[in-house]
Amino acid sequence: LDPDGPPPSDMPAGSTSEADRTFAQADPQTSLLQASEGSLLWVPGGSDSVKLAWYGDAKRPWQVKEGIGRMVTDEVKANILSNNMLGIFMSTFGDPCPRIRKKLFLLVDSAVGSEELFCPGVVVWIHRLHGSLRAATVPCDLKSLRRIRCDRRFVEDHSKLAYHRALLTVRA
């Protein structure tokens, strides 16, 4: 896997194990979310999208055993705030594995609460090809434009100055 590139289309973001890849291929509507103890997690679709949740030792995910981890689906659904944020705290989920840093794994339905993205009007797609910028007119329902993918150049490429330079470059 390329650490700087996007994840393969058959694998949820942040997923690395063979089991995650197998699950992702079986159900493309499901995404795997992970968050470490003490952090905040945004859950797309809120509590309605949560299918399954597990909390425990990150080295042995989804194992439901004393001292390893436990299922916390109901606790997760009950503690998601109105802005779809969830705090990952031992006070909420208990301590299934004392003295071990814990992690929350969530399987969420990607389709719940998601909105279809469409660009109105004529869309000019400015993209890189062999190190230079190219422009093409594309239909507004192009599949690759219906999902926002963030990469390391996302903010830099979408600034006002970057748009101006790109338009001048492709015009030339």
Side-chain angles (χ1 to χ4, degrees):
L1 290 175
D2 177 9
D4 294 326
S9 60
D10 65 340
M11 193 166 97
S15 179
T16 56
S17 74
E18 186 62 37
D20 293 338
R21 284 191 286 274
T22 302
F23 184 82
Q25 291 170 347
D27 188 0
Q29 292 291 333
T30 302
S31 297
L32 174 67
L33 304 178
Q34 302 176 28
S36 297
E37 178 182 13
S39 64
L40 291 174
L41 176 68
W42 179 71
V43 181
S47 61
D48 293 338
S49 70
V50 175
K51 289 183 170 184
L52 205 58
W54 178 90
Y55 181 69
D57 184 358
K59 294 178 182 171
R60 299 185 276 180
W62 301 109
Q63 292 185 30
V64 180
K65 293 181 184 174
E66 187 68 36
I68 296 176
R70 66 186 199 94
M71 300 307 291
V72 292
T73 307
D74 292 334
E75 291 93 330
V76 165
K77 287 182 175 185
N79 286 287
I80 293 177
L81 302 174
S82 60
N83 62 354
N84 295 350
M85 295 299 290
L86 174 67
I88 317 304
F89 303 110
M90 199 169 27
S91 60
T92 305
F93 303 117
D95 193 3
C97 47
R99 297 181 302 279
I100 295 177
R101 187 99 167 128
K102 287 157 273 306
K103 199 167 195 177
L104 176 72
F105 289 81
L106 280 179
L107 292 178
V108 296
D109 187 349
S110 304
V112 173
S114 63
E115 297 179 18
E116 295 290 327
L117 297 176
F118 290 98
C119 299
V122 176
V123 178
V124 177
W125 179 33
I126 300 173
H127 58 282
R128 286 187 171 87
L129 181 66
H130 305 297
S132 63
L133 293 174
R134 302 287 174 159
T137 304
V138 295
C140 64
D141 62 348
L142 184 67
K143 187 171 182 163
S144 62
L145 295 178
R146 294 176 69 191
R147 183 157 214 172
I148 298 172
R149 293 185 91 152
C150 298
D151 72 356
R152 59 188 165 156
R153 295 185 310 242
F154 182 79
V155 174
E156 180 184 321
D157 285 351
H158 291 84
S159 68
K160 290 185 281 186
L161 186 58
Y163 275 130
H164 180 71
R165 286 183 184 154
L167 290 169
L168 290 175
T169 302
V170 296
R171 182 178 171 206

